[in-house]
Amino acid sequence: MELKNKRWTDEEFFKVREEVLSQWPTGKEVDLQEAVDYLKKVPEEKNFAIKLKKAKEEKRTLAQPRAGVALIDDHIELLNYLDKEGGADFLPSTIDSYTRQNRYEECEVGIDESIKAGRSMLNGFPAVNHGIKGCRKVYESVNLPVQARHGTPDSRLLAEIIHAGGWTSNEGGGISYNVPYAKAVPIEKSIRDWQYCDRLVGFYEEQGITLNREPFGPLTGTLVPPSMSNAVGIIEALLAAEQGVKNITVGYGQCGNLVQDVAAVRALEEQTEEYLAEYGYKDMVITTVFHQWMGGFPEDEARAFGVISLGSTAAALSGATKVIVKTPHEAVGIPTKEANAAGIRATKMILNMLEGQRLPDSKALQAEIEIIKAETKCILDKVFELGNGDLAVGTVKAFEQGVLDIPFAPSKYNAGKILPARDNEGCVRYLMTGNIPLSKDLLDFNRARLEERAKFEGREVGFQMTVDDIFAVGKGKLIGRPEGM
Amino acid sequence: MELKNKRWTDEEFFKVREEVLSQWPTGKEVDLQEAVDYLKKVPEEKNFAIKLKKAKEEKRTLAQPRAGVALIDDHIELLNYLDKEGGADFLPSTIDSYTRQNRYEECEVGIDESIKAGRSMLNGFPAVNHGIKGCRKVYESVNLPVQARHGTPDSRLLAEIIHAGGWTSNEGGGISYNVPYAKAVPIEKSIRDWQYCDRLVGFYEEQGITLNREPFGPLTGTLVPPSMSNAVGIIEALLAAEQGVKNITVGYGQCGNLVQDVAAVRALEEQTEEYLAEYGYKDMVITTVFHQWMGGFPEDEARAFGVISLGSTAAALSGATKVIVKTPHEAVGIPTKEANAAGIRATKMILNMLEGQRLPDSKALQAEIEIIKAETKCILDKVFELGNGDLAVGTVKAFEQGVLDIPFAPSKYNAGKILPARDNEGCVRYLMTGNIPLSKDLLDFNRARLEERAKFEGREVGFQMTVDDIFAVGKGKLIGRPEGM
Amino acid sequence: MEKKTLVLGVIGSDVHAVGNKILDYSLTNAGFNVVNIGVLSPQEDFINAAIETNADAILVSSLYGHGEIDCRGMREKCDEAGLKDILLYVGGNIVVGKQDWEEVEARFKAMGFDRVYPPGTSVDTAIRDLKEDLGLE
Amino acid sequence: MEKKTLVLGVIGSDVHAVGNKILDYSLTNAGFNVVNIGVLSPQEDFINAAIETNADAILVSSLYGHGEIDCRGMREKCDEAGLKDILLYVGGNIVVGKQDWEEVEARFKAMGFDRVYPPGTSVDTAIRDLKEDLGLE
Ligand code: B12
Ligand code: B12
């Protein structure tokens, strides 16, 4: 089957589906008609898509943690703790790393060992192994909408099981859950596999059940220039819409300059809507998610609270619909449930205090929005051009040619030619532009902003800036200035 | 001696001084000439006034905690802990409540009991009782500038001792350390006593030693409308300048709406400079201090970190020169040194990340600056009018007539006729305007903003809003909406 | 219902006025006759006001940390003044720093306070307890 | 100075690539010959690379929490493969969650790792230790 950005026919879908469901015994439990009946009974307040739509209408920013452990009962206890003691608005189920690699046998071992050890030996919830029954038990034992959060290049079986299990949102996408999460999965393959996940959601939509899909905005979480992650988000939204997805949350990972962060969210929301309209997708519900700082954290918990809080502030002021919450344990290891709840409480304190407040419109904000949109458009134009109008084909070629290029990604299908660095105000800019097709004006703009910093710091623009910037937040600063500045 | 806003003659000053120094035995140790020689040796980096001036030039926001215990060695240990483990930029010495009431005998008891108990039985450092020697020991044992922070209507002896003791800043003022801190001290008396403190600083200035003075901006810390606290700050700056003070830090306590907070700091700085220039005071160095939320805190430490962080963000974005730091223990009790240092670290993380960033200029920001300035001018015009051009006299009369009126103040010399409440965006507005002389436009503006909230909440504008707003932050919100909103 | 009289104030060298004003407003609203002696009040002022107004209860606030010192001997002084068994409540931030609440409560109960309230106590709690202790409703 | 060869990689199903790229860059800059096998690398890949390049040390990164499982038996496999006494370092976030560091270090030393690094270890520390252990300078 040739890769194309085109809605799969039922024939195509159901043919592949047979194979997917046979990948692990729990696959056989999925009966779409029964699942539709089950999902029809999900009350509005436990439907991810509907709750997001409402939040957008009410102009509120809602909070969601990350969390997942190996065993069902422990996982339920964890989620309810985050609801009750943290005040979470949405619940996650972070999936373990073996499931992400489709290594379900190893999950089985992890589950057994966890039972024996009396504590989780997996870094997440192995949803495929627990099957529909396990997922439904989770869904039925909590009071909030549940989403799968992972990093799985091939998430087809997982998607089947979680949605039939009552989880009304799935994070990921053919680019965002491949390039940062895999070494050797061809882009072509992951796009196709995510078309499947999207088509599944489209199928449910056609049955009158709205489910949410969320491209993973932050990618490698490390100094990704906003226009690059926005371009990826928009592509994934378009690909999803083509398969019939209606409720999409596009995402962005905090960079740290407040104006750039707000501009990025606004540009992302506006351009996503523009592109979806341009390509004829109707009745779309587009919301945004802001990820608190996704790079290296400071080890000290008080400083970590500072980082978490600044992210919450930027999220609120940007008007994002949702914010993904970090914890004071971030730099060290998977958080205890207490640390996780503390992160949510700090976040919600700020969201509550800033409810209804926005960064006022200003020349500076408009200028940054314009820059991000212009850069994004340069990239997207070229992607469409490379695909002769087909976005899926264009995306594959764009990665081959480094037109799409994610900094610090492990994937061998990623060119790895661009390098980011902060300018003198802390905005993330392109230092090495590799093959990204920015106009001369935009290239000059990026360069000039970095030269300004270089001058201020009395050194050359160069990779050392990038390295210093990567360590900066962990060391308590935003910009990696030379020692003693 | 009749109260007038006029520089005291040397004769007047030295006559009163005799009496002041005899209030407690340690007073006799103060020898101005010897003190001048001592202060001349204070290196620049340990001089509060100079470090503030530099920070302003470098456009940086520096952090200062509050802290003080009964015994000298413990106090030194505490301060050095806050420097090393917290990263404080300035050190405080919070003075105990007995000293604030000039009850030095009780301090003596408190010191003895603290020695016996092996822990501080006083809620601050009794600087008068420890005398110059004690203060110098503190100054010499730390690496940062030291300031006295208290709440003392009559701080004359305290001022003599701390400045001679090497502490290069004194907080307070004739209004700000009376009305929120006393029940029965006439405004006339406290203004006169603070003229003394200011004249002392003026004397040092004339000897070539620059010392910092800081009016206490937040007043009762509870929903004080920015124009009221700004008016008080400007009056105290003018009164201080008349006595020869050159280096003044005007202050503001966070209200919670980001635009209003930034506007308030900018209006305060600009108007203070304008008024000082208008009344002919030259070579003034005006800096600003932003107090993190001064009202009731949430008990939960994670939420408290949120409040602290939001305050740090507003401080940084306003461009304030200094921020006064709260701690995660705020709602419960005097913090441990660990909690205090944690508050500083969270604060500095944010200041560092936002270094160089400002809230961009915008229509909304300009509009709020204009409102605050206009309200402040209405109040100040009337104060000058009441005093027939004499600010000191005008201030006394203004309190008598409720032209100056601080919400929730304990002083019987305060009219207590005004009531504040938040508008629908969380800005603090005048709900009951008592006798403050706002123009019709401004009265209408305040009313309209509150009506907007009332409509949104489906209830009447009224005192219940004020009550709800007082509890709101402690309960995790900014605006005290009716239950379930 | 019969109007009960409460003496309200902030003890010692303490100037925290906000809670005091709110308590005054809310207790009055709840139907009590509130005699508010305000901040910076010594024990004597509470006792004198209670005698003068024939009060049913004394509500002591202490916020600033010296509460333990300021409250010592208050029950004895009440007894001496003839205010036998008058209801004595205390609340606010009654000790210095974060301390174990059970211990703090026990210390103040041993001093003769009938009810001891931790930081953040809501006015509703106070009203409920007053009604119970004064046999209202 | 003689160029020492290091094998560098991220073990197991772990995709954290940033630290790996920084280590590669900095260790190369510091004069080492770095053979970087990248993320998602099984034990075998480390060992094969070390044999092929006649390496002096193997630097294992593990960030994602499964480090303890992924590293088990690595020393034995090295021994079997004839990499007798090759220097074995491990670093990153090598266990799940916040744990007592002394215990963690002891566990990995018992597994045969020569040096075990806590989260947030700077590259300078690694370079200093490598120079010491490899007898450089
Ligand atoms: C960025 C990041 C990501 C990115 C990674 C992008 C990419 N492909 O590289 C994304 C978002 C994709 C990601 C995914 C996940 N992550 Co992650 N991630 C981080 C984060 C925030 C920063 C890591 C980083 O880049 N640091 C900067 C670099 C320069 O530092 P470094 O990696 O620590 O390496 C330095 C030192 O440690 C040292 N070092 C490292 N190895 C070695 C070895 C030797 C021998 C020596 C001497 C030194 C040394 O030198 C390096 C350079 O100075 C950390 C938390 C943190 N540190 O703040 C979490 C963290 C590592 N991630 C974690 C987890 C659990 C995951 C996920 C499993 C689940 C999830 N939460 O989504 C997935 C993993 C998927 C997988 N299969 O691996 C956990 C690990 C928990 C644990 N050990 O208990 C962490 C600690 C977060 C947390 N507290 O939960 N992550
Ligand atoms: C605002 C404030 C101030 C303002 C007060 C303005 C004024 N004149 O009223 C200013 C800035 C002037 C101030 C000064 C000081 N403060 Co102050 N202040 C606060 C703060 C932030 C809020 C207090 C408040 O108004 N809360 C809102 C009201 C509505 O609540 P409330 O007072 O707690 O009262 C409610 C309940 O407690 C309860 N309640 C109270 N009393 C009683 C009694 C009974 C019987 C019952 C049933 C219920 C009850 O009902 C009330 C209504 O719901 C608190 C910390 C906090 N809570 O977050 C610190 C706090 C009380 N202050 C503190 C201190 C130390 C001081 C100073 C000594 C030193 C300093 N840091 O500058 C000076 C005191 C000067 C003096 N001599 O008293 C400490 C006390 C420490 C301790 N106990 O260990 C606190 C806890 C802060 C801290 N953690 O360090 N403060």
Side-chain angles (χ1 to χ4, degrees):
Chain A
M1 188 171 132
E2 200 192 334
L3 181 68
K4 264 199 174 159
N5 179 28
K6 188 143 196 317
R7 181 174 302 208
W8 289 21
T9 63
D10 282 358
E11 204 195 322
E12 288 167 333
F13 178 68
F14 285 103
K15 190 158 157 251
V16 174
R17 190 163 183 270
E18 250 171 70
E19 180 218 312
V20 167
L21 296 185
S22 67
Q23 286 169 354
W24 188 254
T26 51
K28 286 184 212 91
E29 300 162 7
V30 191
D31 169 345
L32 274 182
Q33 198 42 59
E34 188 271 347
V36 166
D37 294 341
Y38 185 81
L39 283 165
K40 284 219 162 123
K41 281 177 278 174
V42 171
E44 294 214 338
E45 70 276 11
K46 284 182 79 176
N47 179 306
F48 223 98
I50 296 173
K51 188 164 180 176
L52 277 166
K53 182 162 181 265
K54 232 178 180 162
K56 182 177 176 155
E57 282 158 9
E58 292 169 0
K59 298 181 196 279
R60 297 178 61 204
T61 304
L62 301 180
Q64 182 179 19
R66 291 190 179 83
V69 288
L71 304 180
I72 298 174
D73 290 340
D74 297 347
H75 187 61
I76 291 170
E77 195 197 310
L78 172 59
L79 295 188
N80 279 325
Y81 186 90
L82 299 179
D83 172 4
K84 260 127 227 165
E85 299 300 318
D89 298 302
F90 292 110
L91 291 175
S93 291
T94 300
I95 306 300
D96 71 288
S97 287
Y98 294 134
T99 300
R100 296 171 185 214
Q101 310 283 332
N102 312 105
R103 286 152 65 171
Y104 310 119
E105 318 256 350
E106 289 177 50
C107 293
E108 213 56 34
V109 177
I111 293 172
D112 288 348
E113 284 204 12
S114 301
I115 294 172
K116 274 183 220 135
R119 66 190 165 91
S120 183
M121 299 297 281
L122 295 175
N123 60 8
F125 182 83
V128 168
N129 292 58
H130 289 314
I132 293 190
K133 277 195 221 96
C135 291
R136 287 192 181 171
K137 182 156 184 213
V138 170
Y139 159 75
E140 287 166 12
S141 310
V142 301
N143 297 314
L144 299 169
V146 181
Q147 177 188 46
R149 302 188 69 86
H150 37 123
T152 313
D154 175 3
S155 137
R156 295 172 298 171
L157 181 56
L158 181 64
E160 288 276 2
I161 286 173
I162 59 142
H163 290 318
W167 300 7
T168 43
S169 178
N170 189 17
E171 195 196 37
I175 304 165
S176 63
Y177 266 13
N178 174 354
V179 181
Y181 285 100
K183 189 153 85 171
V185 177
I187 312 282
E188 186 166 348
K189 168 149 180 22
S190 56
I191 289 186
R192 202 195 307 272
D193 290 344
W194 275 92
Q195 284 182 327
Y196 181 97
C197 301
D198 287 331
R199 184 66 206 112
L200 177 64
V201 171
F203 171 84
Y204 280 114
E205 285 282 352
E206 286 147 22
Q207 315 305 309
I209 289 157
T210 181
L211 301 177
N212 173 257
R213 280 274 298 112
E214 177 182 334
F216 176 62
L219 302 168
T220 53
T222 306
L223 300 178
V224 182
S227 55
M228 186 53 72
S229 52
N230 282 7
V232 170
I234 293 165
I235 293 171
E236 293 192 350
L238 286 164
L239 295 175
E242 176 61 28
Q243 300 303 325
V245 176
K246 292 289 174 200
N247 191 297
I248 301 177
T249 307
V250 278
Y252 167 76
Q254 180 184 20
C255 281
N257 173 289
L258 181 65
V259 172
Q260 186 177 44
D261 284 336
V262 172
V265 172
R266 293 199 31 195
L268 177 60
E269 182 167 17
E270 289 166 22
Q271 271 184 323
T272 303
E273 287 185 338
E274 282 159 29
Y275 275 93
L276 285 168
E278 187 183 331
Y279 286 89
Y281 302 109
K282 301 242 164 61
D283 308 319
M284 303 295 299
V285 177
I286 301 303
T287 49
T288 50
V289 54
F290 186 100
H291 294 252
Q292 293 174 358
W293 179 247
M294 288 292 289
F297 252 64
E299 269 181 70
D300 171 59
E301 298 193 13
R303 292 196 181 93
F305 272 119
V307 179
I308 288 169
S309 299
L310 188 59
S312 313
T313 302
L317 294 176
S318 76
T321 326
K322 188 173 84 171
V323 57
I324 302 290
V325 177
K326 289 264 173 169
T327 83
H329 285 183
E330 177 63 15
V332 181
I334 293 189
T336 57
K337 64 181 190 304
E338 290 82 9
N340 208 333
I344 310 172
R345 287 200 304 274
T347 298
K348 289 213 57 171
M349 186 76 215
I350 287 183
L351 297 179
N352 287 342
M353 287 184 75
L354 293 177
E355 199 174 298
Q357 297 187 43
R358 292 288 177 274
L359 191 73
D361 245 317
S362 64
K363 267 193 208 151
L365 179 59
Q366 279 306 330
E368 192 61 38
I369 292 176
E370 289 317 315
I371 289 286
I372 295 171
K373 283 189 172 177
E375 289 179 354
T376 306
K377 186 169 184 308
C378 287
I379 297 170
L380 289 177
D381 281 354
K382 187 78 190 176
V383 175
F384 278 107
E385 188 193 310
L386 288 174
N388 273 323
D390 187 285
L391 186 58
V393 175
T395 300
V396 174
K397 290 205 176 139
F399 271 101
E400 276 165 21
Q401 301 190 13
V403 163
L404 289 166
D405 194 350
I406 315 297
F408 309 106
S411 171
K412 68 178 185 191
Y413 297 99
N414 184 65
K417 289 246 163 75
I418 73 163
L419 270 183
R422 295 190 183 281
D423 70 16
N424 215 32
E425 263 90 58
C427 296
V428 174
R429 306 289 177 200
Y430 293 97
L431 187 158
M432 305 240 300
T433 45
N435 281 334
I436 24 173
L438 299 189
S439 68
K440 171 135 193 338
D441 281 0
L442 289 169
L443 289 173
D444 291 348
F445 170 82
N446 276 274
R447 190 73 201 175
R449 297 305 301 259
L450 292 170
E451 289 293 351
E452 187 190 0
R453 167 176 172 187
K455 201 174 148 203
F456 179 82
E457 293 179 353
R459 59 170 167 174
E460 299 283 296
V461 173
F463 184 52
Q464 191 57 44
M465 281 184 179
T466 312
V467 174
D468 293 341
D469 286 346
I470 286 175
F471 288 115
V473 173
K475 288 184 179 168
K477 304 252 173 184
L478 181 66
I479 307 175
R481 311 268 192 208
E483 288 286 309
M485 267 197 95
Chain B
M1 189 172 133
E2 201 191 334
L3 180 69
K4 263 198 173 161
N5 179 28
K6 186 138 200 318
R7 182 173 302 206
W8 289 20
T9 63
D10 282 359
E11 205 196 321
E12 289 166 330
F13 178 68
F14 284 104
K15 190 157 156 252
V16 174
R17 189 164 185 270
E18 248 172 71
E19 181 219 311
V20 167
L21 296 186
S22 67
Q23 287 168 353
W24 188 255
T26 51
K28 290 188 208 85
E29 298 163 7
V30 192
D31 169 344
L32 274 183
Q33 197 43 60
E34 189 270 349
V36 166
D37 294 343
Y38 185 81
L39 284 164
K40 285 219 161 122
K41 281 176 278 177
V42 172
E44 295 214 337
E45 71 276 12
K46 284 182 78 176
N47 179 306
F48 222 98
I50 297 173
K51 187 162 180 178
L52 277 166
K53 182 162 182 261
K54 231 178 181 161
K56 181 176 176 155
E57 282 158 12
E58 291 169 1
K59 297 179 197 276
R60 296 179 60 205
T61 303
L62 302 180
Q64 181 179 17
R66 291 189 179 85
V69 288
L71 303 180
I72 297 175
D73 289 341
D74 296 347
H75 187 61
I76 290 170
E77 196 198 309
L78 172 59
L79 294 189
N80 280 325
Y81 186 90
L82 299 180
D83 172 5
K84 260 127 229 165
E85 299 302 319
D89 298 302
F90 291 110
L91 291 175
S93 291
T94 299
I95 306 300
D96 71 288
S97 288
Y98 295 134
T99 301
R100 296 172 185 214
Q101 310 282 333
N102 312 105
R103 286 153 65 171
Y104 310 119
E105 317 256 352
E106 290 177 49
C107 293
E108 212 57 32
V109 178
I111 294 173
D112 288 348
E113 285 204 13
S114 301
I115 295 172
K116 275 183 220 137
R119 67 191 164 89
S120 183
M121 298 296 281
L122 294 176
N123 62 7
F125 183 81
V128 168
N129 293 57
H130 288 313
I132 293 191
K133 276 194 222 98
C135 290
R136 286 192 180 168
K137 183 157 184 212
V138 170
Y139 160 74
E140 286 165 14
S141 309
V142 301
N143 296 315
L144 299 170
V146 181
Q147 177 189 45
R149 301 187 70 86
H150 36 123
T152 313
D154 175 4
S155 139
R156 294 173 299 171
L157 181 56
L158 181 65
E160 287 276 1
I161 286 173
I162 59 142
H163 290 318
W167 299 8
T168 43
S169 178
N170 190 17
E171 194 196 39
I175 304 165
S176 64
Y177 265 13
N178 174 355
V179 181
Y181 284 101
K183 188 155 85 171
V185 177
I187 312 282
E188 185 166 350
K189 169 148 180 25
S190 57
I191 290 187
R192 203 196 305 275
D193 290 344
W194 275 93
Q195 282 182 328
Y196 181 99
C197 301
D198 287 332
R199 183 66 207 113
L200 177 65
V201 170
F203 171 86
Y204 280 114
E205 284 283 352
E206 286 146 22
Q207 315 303 310
I209 288 156
T210 182
L211 301 177
N212 173 257
R213 281 274 297 111
E214 178 183 334
F216 176 62
L219 302 168
T220 52
T222 306
L223 301 178
V224 183
S227 55
M228 186 53 71
S229 54
N230 282 8
V232 170
I234 293 166
I235 292 172
E236 292 192 349
L238 286 164
L239 295 174
E242 176 60 29
Q243 301 302 328
V245 176
K246 292 288 174 203
N247 190 296
I248 301 177
T249 307
V250 278
Y252 167 76
Q254 180 183 19
C255 282
N257 173 290
L258 182 64
V259 173
Q260 186 177 45
D261 284 337
V262 172
V265 172
R266 292 198 32 196
L268 178 61
E269 182 165 18
E270 289 166 21
Q271 271 184 325
T272 303
E273 287 185 337
E274 282 160 29
Y275 274 93
L276 285 167
E278 187 183 330
Y279 286 89
Y281 302 108
K282 303 244 165 59
D283 308 320
M284 302 296 298
V285 177
I286 302 303
T287 49
T288 50
V289 52
F290 186 100
H291 293 252
Q292 292 174 359
W293 178 246
M294 288 291 289
F297 253 64
E299 271 181 70
D300 171 58
E301 297 194 13
R303 293 197 181 93
F305 271 119
V307 178
I308 288 169
S309 299
L310 188 58
S312 312
T313 303
L317 295 177
S318 76
T321 326
K322 188 172 85 171
V323 57
I324 302 290
V325 176
K326 289 265 172 168
T327 83
H329 285 183
E330 176 63 13
V332 181
I334 292 190
T336 57
K337 63 181 193 302
E338 291 81 10
N340 207 334
I344 310 172
R345 289 199 303 274
T347 298
K348 291 212 58 169
M349 185 76 214
I350 287 183
L351 297 179
N352 287 343
M353 288 184 75
L354 292 177
E355 199 173 297
Q357 297 187 41
R358 292 287 177 275
L359 191 73
D361 246 317
S362 65
K363 268 194 208 152
L365 179 58
Q366 280 306 330
E368 192 61 37
I369 292 177
E370 288 318 315
I371 288 286
I372 295 172
K373 283 189 173 178
E375 289 180 354
T376 306
K377 187 170 182 308
C378 287
I379 298 171
L380 289 176
D381 282 354
K382 187 78 189 175
V383 174
F384 278 107
E385 188 194 310
L386 288 174
N388 273 321
D390 187 285
L391 186 58
V393 175
T395 300
V396 174
K397 291 207 177 139
F399 271 102
E400 277 166 20
Q401 301 189 12
V403 163
L404 289 167
D405 193 350
I406 315 297
F408 308 106
S411 171
K412 68 177 183 192
Y413 297 100
N414 185 65
K417 290 244 164 74
I418 73 163
L419 271 184
R422 296 190 182 281
D423 70 17
N424 214 31
E425 263 89 57
C427 296
V428 175
R429 306 289 177 201
Y430 293 97
L431 187 158
M432 305 239 299
T433 45
N435 282 331
I436 25 172
L438 299 188
S439 69
K440 171 135 193 336
D441 281 2
L442 290 169
L443 289 173
D444 290 349
F445 170 82
N446 275 275
R447 189 73 201 178
R449 298 305 301 260
L450 292 170
E451 290 292 351
E452 189 189 358
R453 168 177 171 189
K455 199 174 149 202
F456 180 81
E457 293 178 354
R459 59 168 167 175
E460 300 283 297
V461 173
F463 184 53
Q464 192 57 45
M465 281 183 178
T466 313
V467 174
D468 293 341
D469 287 346
I470 286 176
F471 288 114
V473 174
K475 289 184 179 169
K477 302 254 172 178
L478 182 66
I479 307 175
R481 309 270 193 209
E483 289 286 310
M485 266 198 95
Chain C
M1 117 186 163
E2 178 203 4
K3 259 209 175 182
K4 296 283 182 178
T5 298
L6 313 174
V7 171
L8 183 70
V10 186
I11 202 165
S13 296
D14 191 335
V15 302
H16 289 89
V18 183
N20 173 264
K21 288 182 199 243
I22 300 283
L23 283 170
D24 187 345
Y25 169 78
S26 312
L27 293 170
T28 305
N29 256 4
F32 293 98
N33 178 28
V34 178
V35 180
N36 188 357
I37 62 170
V39 304
L40 286 170
S41 297
Q43 292 186 2
E44 294 70 31
D45 289 11
F46 284 90
I47 293 171
N48 292 338
I51 294 173
E52 274 166 34
T53 62
N54 196 16
D56 302 282
I58 297 177
L59 274 64
V60 178
S61 290
S62 176
L63 282 301
Y64 73 148
H66 294 181
E68 210 168 336
I69 307 178
D70 294 335
C71 289
R72 272 189 208 147
M74 179 135 184
R75 172 59 77 191
E76 291 72 17
K77 283 223 187 83
C78 286
D79 289 349
E80 283 163 28
L83 293 170
K84 265 276 167 213
D85 300 328
I86 189 167
L87 266 189
L88 261 185
Y89 287 10
V90 64
N93 302 68
I94 57 178
V95 289
V96 177
K98 255 194 180 181
Q99 299 185 21
D100 179 64
W101 178 248
E102 312 249 297
E103 275 175 39
V104 171
E105 188 177 17
R107 286 205 306 267
F108 278 81
K109 289 234 159 143
M111 281 193 234
F113 284 87
D114 298 296
R115 297 218 185 231
V116 187
Y117 296 93
T121 299
S122 81
V123 189
D124 294 344
T125 309
I127 293 174
R128 206 192 49 222
D129 291 348
L130 278 168
K131 290 196 170 160
E132 192 184 316
D133 294 352
L134 295 171
L136 304 171
E137 278 169 12
Chain D
M1 112 187 167
E2 176 203 5
K3 261 211 173 179
K4 296 284 183 178
T5 297
L6 314 174
V7 170
L8 183 70
V10 186
I11 202 165
S13 296
D14 192 336
V15 302
H16 290 89
V18 183
N20 173 265
K21 287 182 199 239
I22 299 284
L23 283 169
D24 187 344
Y25 169 79
S26 310
L27 292 170
T28 306
N29 257 4
F32 293 97
N33 179 27
V34 178
V35 181
N36 188 357
I37 61 170
V39 303
L40 287 170
S41 298
Q43 292 186 3
E44 294 68 32
D45 289 10
F46 283 91
I47 292 171
N48 291 339
I51 294 173
E52 275 169 34
T53 62
N54 197 15
D56 302 282
I58 296 177
L59 274 62
V60 178
S61 291
S62 175
L63 282 300
Y64 72 149
H66 294 180
E68 209 166 336
I69 306 177
D70 295 336
C71 288
R72 272 187 209 148
M74 178 134 186
R75 172 58 78 190
E76 291 72 18
K77 284 224 187 81
C78 286
D79 288 351
E80 282 164 28
L83 293 170
K84 264 276 165 213
D85 300 329
I86 189 167
L87 265 189
L88 260 187
Y89 287 10
V90 65
N93 301 67
I94 57 178
V95 289
V96 177
K98 255 195 180 180
Q99 297 185 24
D100 180 65
W101 178 248
E102 311 248 296
E103 275 175 39
V104 172
E105 188 176 18
R107 284 202 313 263
F108 279 82
K109 289 234 159 141
M111 281 193 235
F113 285 87
D114 298 295
R115 297 215 185 234
V116 187
Y117 296 93
T121 299
S122 82
V123 190
D124 294 343
T125 309
I127 293 173
R128 204 193 50 219
D129 290 348
L130 278 168
K131 289 196 170 160
E132 193 184 314
D133 293 351
L134 296 171
L136 303 172
E137 275 169 15

